[in-house]
Amino acid sequence: MTCTLSGVRKSRCHDGAVIVDCGVYAGGERQDLPKDPETVAQAIDDHGECFGWVGLHEPSDAEMRRVQRLFDLHELAVEDALKAHQRPKVERFGDAIVVVLRTLWYVDEGDAVETGQLSVFVGPRYVVTVRHGQGGELATTRQNLEERAQMLGHGPAAVLWAICDSVVDGYESVAESVEVDVDEIESSVFSADRTSDAERIYRLKREVLEMRRAILPLREPMEQFAHGVPGINPKAAPFFRDVADHVSRVADQTESIDTLLSSALGAHLARVSVQQNDDMRRISAWVAIAAVPTMLAGIYGMNFDNMPELTWHYGYYGILLLMAAVCFTMYRFFRKVGWL
């Protein structure tokens, strides 16, 4: 089935920075139509076999309201899509489903997990995506899906699955990057060199917290999609089961990373405490060694007239020899017991 429109201007979307792409699909094939929301809305109104996909990136309020009017999006869902600080969730508004996802990407230079938001409006014959942040780009997802006509034949459910699968793949990539840093921290904590890893561990734990906020709330919605929900093509359920499995796996991976970081922090603090005890023992040993000549010098520095050794011809050399012998003996003793 080919969707054709009469009287539609053949022009590209004038909001190039906001509207990333607009497409109309029929029978798993993209139709050769102008890339603007009005064309998509008209196509899905005129032809029952078509569905449209409009992708927005950080739209203004006016641009979002424009798309809202064209596809009759719910007011509350639109407000959530504009604010971009929502918890991952799935909500139903009439015959439409709104899925809010958190996107993640990793900046290795600062050990930072950056977050964004992706809102997906899924209706019977349309998909509207609203993306915030630099991560979670959907151009590759759209291209891969357009190459799989059989998958696109499932309609908007196929688009929702492809988006969720892409976002979850991003989670796995971030988790693998964080694991590399955790391995580096473990090597540093247990190395022979003195290191200061507490700050980096704490910073990574904060980033893992961001991961948990994005991943853990998504487990239940993906399980719901995997078992079938109204408005989603039942034939798409097996694909969502695969996504749900990946979400569960990366959630467990995130929990393991957090546990490893907590263990590494505990090991680092324990090692610092041991190092401080070693330092105190070394200082105490040297103080004890230095105390012997100090004591002897103090005794012979007293200004008494009647001190037997003061008139001994070899007294000075004898007392130096005594100091050296006692200090050497104490040094050997402290070395033997591991204090030096």
Side-chain angles (χ1 to χ4, degrees):
M1 175 66 186
T2 301
C3 293
T4 58
L5 296 176
S6 59
V8 177
R9 70 184 190 281
K10 296 288 183 177
S11 64
R12 278 191 169 273
C13 172
H14 63 277
D15 304 278
V18 173
I19 300 180
V20 179
D21 200 356
C22 304
V24 177
Y25 303 88
E29 299 290 339
R30 180 166 182 157
Q31 306 304 296
D32 184 19
L33 296 173
K35 297 180 179 181
D36 60 73
E38 286 77 10
T39 299
V40 174
Q42 184 178 346
I44 64 176
D45 285 341
D46 293 348
H47 300 275
E49 294 83 359
C50 295
F51 78 92
W53 180 1
V54 177
L56 309 177
H57 180 242
E58 298 182 355
S60 64
D61 183 84
E63 189 59 48
M64 192 68 214
R65 299 300 175 184
R66 169 193 172 196
V67 175
Q68 177 187 7
R69 290 190 297 270
L70 289 172
F71 298 97
D72 193 25
L73 306 180
H74 196 277
E75 178 71 21
L76 294 178
V78 169
E79 290 182 3
D80 288 347
L82 285 171
K83 290 179 180 177
H85 294 290
Q86 304 300 314
R87 186 175 185 269
K89 59 183 178 180
V90 176
E91 293 184 317
R92 177 175 291 278
F93 297 94
D95 59 354
I97 295 175
V98 180
V99 181
V100 178
L101 306 169
R102 300 293 293 177
T103 57
L104 301 176
W105 66 98
Y106 193 65
V107 181
D108 189 56
E109 291 78 7
D111 294 340
V113 177
E114 300 293 340
T115 62
Q117 178 175 305
L118 179 59
S119 300
V120 187
F121 298 79
V122 183
R125 294 172 54 207
Y126 68 82
V127 177
V128 176
T129 57
V130 182
R131 184 167 62 90
H132 292 266
Q134 298 303 313
E137 61 86 19
L138 298 178
T140 303
T141 302
R142 186 190 290 264
Q143 181 179 356
N144 293 338
L145 196 58
E146 288 175 355
E147 294 173 355
R148 305 171 66 180
Q150 183 178 2
M151 179 64 68
L152 265 177
H154 294 304
V159 177
L160 178 60
W161 164 78
I163 292 172
C164 292
D165 187 59
S166 175
V167 170
V168 174
D169 286 345
Y171 294 164
E172 293 181 324
S173 177
V174 170
E176 290 173 0
S177 298
V178 174
E179 279 192 332
V180 171
D181 286 339
V182 172
D183 291 340
E184 292 177 358
I185 286 176
E186 287 182 322
S187 299
S188 178
V189 167
F190 295 104
S191 68
D193 301 328
R194 288 201 172 195
T195 57
S196 180
D197 301 303
E199 181 180 352
R200 189 182 184 192
I201 293 173
Y202 181 73
R203 185 167 62 247
L204 274 176
K205 282 186 70 67
R206 286 181 60 88
E207 303 310 318
V208 171
L209 179 60
E210 290 292 338
M211 294 172 59
R212 295 177 65 182
R213 288 173 178 169
I215 298 170
L216 297 186
L218 201 59
R219 300 178 78 166
E220 183 177 352
M222 290 301 103
E223 288 292 340
Q224 292 176 0
F225 287 138
H227 292 88
V229 296
I232 298 297
N233 191 331
K235 294 181 179 179
F239 299 97
F240 281 107
R241 280 199 293 270
D242 180 66
V243 176
D245 180 65
H246 288 183
V247 171
S248 180
R249 184 173 61 197
V250 75
D252 293 340
Q253 188 177 8
T254 303
E255 294 291 348
S256 299
I257 291 172
D258 188 58
T259 301
L260 284 173
L261 286 173
S262 297
S263 301
L265 181 60
H268 173 70
L269 295 177
R271 190 177 181 196
V272 168
S273 178
V274 170
Q275 289 173 345
Q276 290 176 341
N277 289 336
D278 290 341
D279 293 340
M280 289 303 300
R281 287 192 300 182
R282 289 189 179 93
I283 293 171
S284 299
W286 284 114
V287 168
I289 292 173
V292 173
T294 302
M295 180 188 67
L296 293 176
I299 292 173
Y300 284 94
M302 295 186 293
N303 295 318
F304 291 112
D305 292 331
N306 188 17
M307 293 185 70
E309 294 83 1
L310 291 178
T311 58
W312 184 33
H313 180 73
Y314 297 104
Y316 173 73
Y317 304 102
I319 204 65
L320 287 181
L321 182 60
L322 177 62
M323 288 181 182
V326 173
C327 289
F328 179 74
T329 302
M330 294 181 67
Y331 175 79
R332 290 292 302 272
F333 172 76
F334 287 129
R335 287 277 295 182
K336 183 177 180 180
V337 298
W339 280 42
L340 290 176

